[in-house]
Amino acid sequence: MFMDTKQLYRIWLDNASADPDLKAELEKIGENEDEIFDRFYRELEFGTGGLRGVIGAGTNRMNVYTVNKATQGLADYIKNHGGKSVAISYDSRIKSDYFARSAAEVFAGNGIKVNIYSELMPTPMLSWAVRSLKCDAGVMVTASHNPAKYNGYKVYGSDGCQVTIEAADEILGYINKTDVFTGVKTADFDESVKTGLISYIGDDIIDAYMAEVRNQSLHPEVCESAGLKVVYTPLNGTGNKPVRRILKEIGIKDVVIVPEQENPDGTFSTCPYPNPEIREALELGLRLCEKEKPDLLLATDPDCDRVGIAVPDGDSYALFSGNEVGSMLLEYVAKERKALGKMPEAPLAVKTIVTTDITAKIAEKYGVELVEVLTGFKFIGEQIGFLEKKGRQDRYIFGFEESYGYLAGGYVRDKDAVVASMLICEMAAFYRAQGKSLIQVRKEMYEEYGFYCNKLDTFTFEGASGMQKMNDIMDKMRTDYPKSVAGFKVIGFADYEASEKTDLLTGAVEKITLPKSNVISLYLEGGNKAIIRPSGTEPKLKVYYTAVCPTMTEAEELQKKMSAEFSGLVK
């Protein structure tokens, strides 16, 4: 039976007593119809990325009830498939530990064995726990790099990869059958620990993960002798212990931590948007660099699956993009594997469709097959799984996405800022031994393969009307896309929802074999490109630009022109 938002509000006001914060919030908004509507006009969307939303009361918020409802649905899915165990981890966000503990109680209430970390741990270590402990599923409580008001709930399959579209749809079916107040089974956490239904993940699992990370090193000997100095900020998240540990283990002893961002803090008071893609998040680190004069600044996001860097450039520090770091790591891994005789037969690398095309030229040089997948690291993890089923996981050498996510090795199935931090430092030390800075290495890369300027514009559409506005823009783009951009003719059009790519010069239509997705690509003359897609986790429309020119200055100017034109289109 359909209920309006006011009815739902009254039901929650009468029943939401588990968390006193929710009761107080509901009482506070009693006379505010707009606030009530925003909290109850829909349920948080559950998909391959799980749940993500603003923390608070209501069906359209992250709270103990929406978490428990999702967990009950996941528990029903696990039991229906004969599953018996899960792993749980969580980050430093507000209520992450509470949501993780509550999810554990729901699994235990359903007779499902729970393995949970005793303290906050990175997302890749959740993937590792699922695989290492042979669990049937995993839950990571995190909103990754979102602002402090958000939290989320990522769901992983038995392969340690975020669930597939098919699995997410089936889980959603179970969630939709669950009454948020009466349909959830629970067991007491402490009692379940006593009976063994809930167990803490031991140091042996953590140590084994760190050993797998170290196994991805190609030149472990260079770090001890390079004298590399690093400033590191975990941005008040989960990276503090594992990143510092791996750097120490590979011989990097001079590591200075940004003190204000060292310890867990879900309010992220020094970086309101704790995303290493954004310069503001690195400001305290950059200020410390002015004093410490390190060779490298590392910054990991709250759940430590992304890492950003800055390196000395004259008297200041230059930030590298995810496309640049990923491309340089791909070349370092491919080149040194080949030099060391460690390149597998038919090596393979993976990138997302919005990631720089310079990778194609690097892969071609070293004889690496490059596979392109949809946006989302789960699709990179899926490719490793395909190789594993064929007994050829060794073929995978590297994968990355432009949003600062990298993975070498198939020991986990999600991006891993711990291994990425290690390899970035090793790469810097390796080139330093050759008398090269990372600035020089980047310059040489562009001079050899071409100057690619890859930029991202984001357009925010908040509130109940935001999703409809984004859908309207995408629908219009499908039927009335521009015929030229910044003076370059549009020569190709791809609609990933229709699974078709059209050559506008010949009229030839090619089938896109990737899963259907709300993405549109415009291919321009000269290798230039624009890709438009709504974010899967935030109320944002994203436009990715590729500008290719004889110099970086020209490429940057072209990108600015493309951006200016799209700003008028995407409104």
Side-chain angles (χ1 to χ4, degrees):
M1 184 181 74
F2 173 77
M3 288 190 208
D4 66 22
T5 55
K6 289 183 179 178
Q7 284 179 291
L8 279 172
Y9 166 75
R10 285 191 289 270
I11 290 170
W12 275 65
L13 185 63
D14 292 339
N15 291 277
S17 58
D19 185 343
D21 291 345
L22 302 184
K23 189 78 171 176
E25 181 181 336
L26 289 167
E27 290 173 347
K28 185 177 179 181
I29 64 168
E31 302 301 318
N32 192 325
E33 292 188 6
D34 290 341
E35 290 284 356
I36 290 172
F37 180 78
D38 191 51
R39 284 164 174 75
F40 291 99
Y41 80 94
R42 66 165 190 163
E43 294 197 356
L44 276 185
E45 187 175 342
F46 182 92
T48 57
L51 298 171
R52 189 174 299 190
V54 174
I55 301 163
T59 57
N60 187 34
R61 293 290 188 269
M62 279 293 297
N63 54 67
V64 69
Y65 294 103
T66 51
V67 165
N68 285 359
K69 181 177 179 176
T71 305
Q72 183 62 53
L74 177 57
D76 289 339
Y77 168 84
I78 292 168
K79 289 188 291 184
N80 187 56
H81 287 267
K84 298 178 180 178
S85 66
V86 298
I88 299 177
S89 185
Y90 56 94
D91 70 4
S92 59
R93 288 182 172 273
I94 297 167
K95 295 188 184 291
S96 279
D97 54 348
Y98 174 41
F99 293 160
R101 184 183 175 99
S102 191
E105 291 181 328
V106 176
F107 286 125
N110 284 271
I112 295 172
K113 165 72 177 172
V114 177
N115 303 278
I116 186 169
Y117 282 109
S118 60
E119 62 178 322
L120 69 173
M121 289 288 173
T123 288
M125 292 180 74
L126 183 276
S127 178
W128 169 254
V130 170
R131 292 177 57 77
S132 181
L133 294 168
K134 296 181 169 48
C135 296
D136 300 291
V139 169
M140 177 72 197
V141 181
T142 180
S144 189
H145 56 281
N146 284 66
K149 66 180 181 178
Y150 285 86
N151 211 328
Y153 180 100
K154 290 183 181 178
V155 179
Y156 289 75
S158 59
D159 57 356
C161 191
Q162 287 188 57
V163 290
T164 63
I165 295 169
E166 295 76 20
D169 287 344
E170 188 176 344
I171 294 166
L172 178 59
Y174 286 110
I175 293 171
N176 288 339
K177 293 175 185 176
T178 302
D179 184 276
V180 70
F181 293 116
T182 63
V184 178
K185 302 172 188 174
T186 63
D188 181 76
F189 188 93
D190 294 329
E191 284 301 316
S192 298
V193 171
K194 289 177 184 175
T195 62
L197 199 50
I198 296 177
S199 296
Y200 288 109
I201 296 170
D203 289 343
D204 57 327
I205 302 299
I206 297 171
D207 292 344
Y209 163 81
M210 299 303 293
E212 285 290 345
V213 172
R214 283 197 308 277
N215 285 342
Q216 309 313 314
S217 172
L218 294 169
H219 288 288
E221 74 286 348
V222 301
C223 294
E224 287 197 23
S225 60
L228 203 70
K229 182 173 184 177
V230 176
V231 164
Y232 169 56
T233 172
L235 296 180
N236 301 115
T238 60
N240 188 34
K241 288 185 178 181
V243 171
R244 292 170 77 170
R245 175 174 170 176
I246 197 63
L247 296 186
K248 183 178 180 181
E249 288 183 1
I250 64 171
I252 298 176
K253 300 179 179 63
D254 196 355
V255 179
V256 182
I257 311 301
V258 177
E260 302 93 334
Q261 297 173 337
E262 177 177 7
N263 296 315
D265 176 8
T267 67
F268 306 115
S269 56
T270 63
C271 53
Y273 205 89
N275 183 351
E277 298 177 65
I278 298 173
R279 185 182 183 92
E280 285 76 10
L282 276 63
E283 281 299 336
L284 285 180
L286 290 167
R287 280 186 224 161
L288 190 57
C289 286
E290 292 175 7
K291 174 187 173 186
E292 297 289 342
K293 307 296 182 187
D295 302 292
L296 189 64
L297 167 66
L298 290 176
T300 55
D301 69 342
D303 67 324
C304 196
D305 62 356
R306 302 170 192 245
V307 58
I309 73 167
V311 300
D313 184 16
D315 294 329
S316 62
Y317 280 76
L319 274 63
F320 280 24
S321 71
N323 279 314
E324 290 171 334
V325 173
S327 299
M328 290 165 67
L329 282 173
L330 173 61
E331 178 149 44
Y332 172 71
V333 169
K335 180 175 63 176
E336 294 312 306
R337 271 181 171 262
K338 202 165 187 178
L340 294 166
K342 292 183 177 180
M343 187 73 96
E345 183 182 345
L348 181 143
V350 191
K351 80 171 189 76
T352 61
I353 58 174
V354 298
T355 298
T356 179
D357 293 331
I358 201 171
T359 48
K361 294 185 176 181
I362 295 170
E364 182 182 15
K365 178 178 178 179
Y366 296 100
V368 176
E369 179 185 350
L370 184 65
V371 174
E372 204 169 56
V373 297
L374 290 177
T375 308
F377 216 90
K378 57 183 169 284
F379 295 112
I380 296 178
E382 185 179 49
Q383 291 296 318
I384 305 172
F386 292 155
L387 295 173
E388 184 179 40
K389 286 177 181 176
K390 297 175 183 176
R392 289 304 316 274
Q393 184 178 321
D394 65 304
R395 286 185 61 201
Y396 172 82
I397 63 167
F398 193 69
F400 80 101
E401 56 186 3
E402 49 75 42
S403 55
Y404 293 57
Y406 322 99
L407 177 65
Y411 59 99
V412 296
R413 299 294 160 80
D414 211 335
K415 50 191 176 285
D416 187 351
V418 182
V419 77
S421 295
M422 180 193 76
L423 283 174
I424 289 166
C425 289
E426 181 183 301
M427 177 173 67
F430 176 80
Y431 288 124
R432 178 173 177 162
Q434 298 180 354
K436 294 180 183 178
S437 69
L438 290 183
I439 288 284
Q440 289 173 287
V441 175
R442 182 179 68 173
K443 181 172 179 286
E444 289 174 1
M445 177 180 73
Y446 283 133
E447 287 173 344
E448 179 171 359
Y449 301 112
F451 290 88
Y452 286 71
C453 179
N454 298 97
K455 295 287 184 180
L456 167 65
D457 278 347
T458 57
F459 302 87
T460 301
F461 298 89
E462 294 276 10
S465 62
M467 188 65 70
Q468 186 58 51
K469 178 67 174 174
M470 288 193 289
N471 288 334
D472 291 345
I473 291 170
M474 293 299 290
D475 289 343
K476 186 175 188 329
M477 192 66 67
R478 285 185 167 89
T479 57
D480 190 24
Y481 58 84
K483 302 305 180 279
S484 66
V485 178
F488 287 84
K489 185 177 180 180
V490 177
I491 60 173
F493 176 84
D495 183 348
Y496 286 79
E497 201 162 68
S499 300
E500 289 184 347
K501 179 180 178 181
T502 304
D503 184 327
L504 298 175
L505 298 178
T506 66
V509 178
E510 176 186 339
K511 177 125 180 108
I512 296 172
T513 58
L514 298 175
K516 291 182 182 295
S517 185
N518 192 11
V519 181
I520 290 170
S521 291
L522 301 179
Y523 300 87
L524 316 180
E525 298 166 308
N528 304 298
K529 187 164 61 175
I531 301 178
I532 309 99
R533 60 176 282 268
S535 169
T537 57
E538 301 170 275
K540 292 180 177 181
L541 195 68
K542 298 188 173 186
V543 184
Y544 303 80
Y545 308 101
T546 297
V548 189
C549 292
T551 68
M552 186 55 77
T553 300
E554 291 173 280
E556 289 172 346
E557 285 301 314
L558 173 56
Q559 182 275 319
K560 288 176 184 175
K561 291 178 183 177
M562 294 169 70
S563 180
E565 289 194 19
F566 267 91
S567 292
L569 295 169
V570 185
K571 283 185 178 178

